[in-house]
């Protein structure tokens, strides 16, 4: 972990630089690891019990400083800050095109672990044909968890993958 005061703003660009400055100057967190990937700032706390507090503080600071719209999402171990036009759904057109070229239906199975807002898989698992290995959304027709009771994350994913039967025109899941 890098102490907050030692993170250099020069590592960040655009809105992530502004958010970084706000985190360094105004949020009282003992230790935080900050990483920038493309247009995403990931903040990993040494104490994960502070994650919800950090999300609320960042949301307050963004609102007070009128920073352009961003999403504040969570994973099981971090808080992610991305622009509204970024996200995991950006991969869908690539796969849709690939399926069209092969003259296959555009039914894509999405699997993630955080389907409940503000989870980092919320938008992706809001598509039809989506399964969660942990937290599900409130929707009744997508983002299901069909794993055996007590199984989640890696165990649930392996159960899903082992239940897939492939055919010439796609696959089906044996429940």
């Amino acid at each position: 972990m890098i102490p907050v005061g030692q993170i250099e703003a020069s590592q960040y660009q655009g809105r992530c630089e502004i958010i970084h400055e706000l985190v360094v100057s105004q949020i009282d967190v003992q230790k935080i690891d900050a990483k920038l990937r493309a247009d995403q700032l990931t903040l990993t706390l040494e104490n994960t019990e502070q994650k919800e507090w950090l999300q609320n503080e960042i949301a307050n600071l963004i609102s007070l400083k009128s920073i352009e719209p961003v999403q504040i999402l969570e994973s099981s171990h971090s808080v992610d800050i991305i622009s509204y036009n970024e996200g995991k759904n950006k991969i869908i057109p690539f796969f849709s095109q690939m399926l069209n070229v092969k003259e296959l239906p555009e039914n894509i199975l999405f699997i993630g672990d955080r389907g409940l807002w503000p989870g980092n898989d919320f938008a992706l698992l809001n598509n039809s044909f989506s399964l969660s290995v942990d937290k599900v959304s409130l929707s009744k027709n997508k983002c299901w968890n069909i794993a055996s009771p007590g199984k989640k994350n890696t165990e649930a994913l392996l159960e899903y993958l082992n239940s897939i039967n492939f055919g010439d025109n796609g696959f089906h899941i044996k429940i």
Side-chain angles (χ1 to χ4, degrees):
M1 296 284 187
I2 302 170
V4 174
Q6 292 180 10
I7 300 172
E8 295 181 12
S10 63
Q11 295 174 314
Y12 306 97
Q13 301 168 356
R15 76 188 129 271
C16 288
E17 184 175 327
I18 295 168
I19 294 167
H20 171 264
E21 180 183 319
L22 294 171
V23 169
V24 170
S25 66
Q26 297 183 28
I27 296 180
D28 183 26
V29 177
Q30 290 294 322
K31 291 187 177 182
I32 188 170
D33 181 35
K35 291 183 182 157
L36 182 65
R37 294 183 205 118
D39 202 17
Q40 173 177 325
L41 178 62
T42 299
L43 303 172
T44 306
L45 297 167
E46 187 173 87
N47 179 358
T48 57
E49 293 174 3
Q50 292 180 310
K51 189 168 54 171
E52 184 177 341
W53 173 84
L54 178 63
Q55 286 173 292
N56 291 331
E57 284 296 309
I58 291 171
N60 288 338
L61 293 170
I62 289 170
S63 177
L64 290 171
K65 298 291 183 177
S66 300
I67 296 172
E68 65 183 88
V70 295
Q71 299 178 71
I72 303 169
L73 305 174
E74 68 177 32
S75 72
S76 60
H77 62 280
S78 67
V79 174
D80 300 323
I81 303 164
I82 63 174
S83 74
Y84 263 86
N85 57 359
E86 295 296 323
K88 294 182 179 183
N89 273 342
K90 289 184 86 172
I91 194 78
I92 295 173
F94 169 79
F95 286 112
S96 294
Q97 181 181 15
M98 187 171 62
L99 291 168
N100 277 330
V101 167
K102 295 182 180 242
E103 298 180 359
L104 293 171
E106 289 186 40
N107 299 333
I108 302 169
L109 176 64
F110 302 96
I111 301 176
D113 68 340
R114 293 284 187 244
L116 182 65
W117 176 258
N120 64 347
D121 294 322
F122 174 76
L124 187 68
L125 297 183
N126 199 34
N127 291 289
S128 298
F129 310 110
S130 59
L131 298 173
S132 178
V133 297
D134 192 8
K135 299 195 181 210
V136 299
S137 73
L138 300 178
S139 176
K140 295 183 189 314
N141 61 353
K142 54 189 107 177
C143 190
W144 299 333
N145 185 330
I146 58 172
S148 299
K151 289 190 178 180
K152 65 180 190 174
N153 299 319
T154 304
E155 285 184 324
L157 176 61
L158 291 172
E159 183 176 342
Y160 293 164
L161 296 176
N162 288 326
S163 299
I164 295 175
N165 293 312
F166 292 94
D168 292 336
N169 294 319
F171 66 90
H172 67 274
I173 298 175
K174 182 180 175 185
I175 302 176

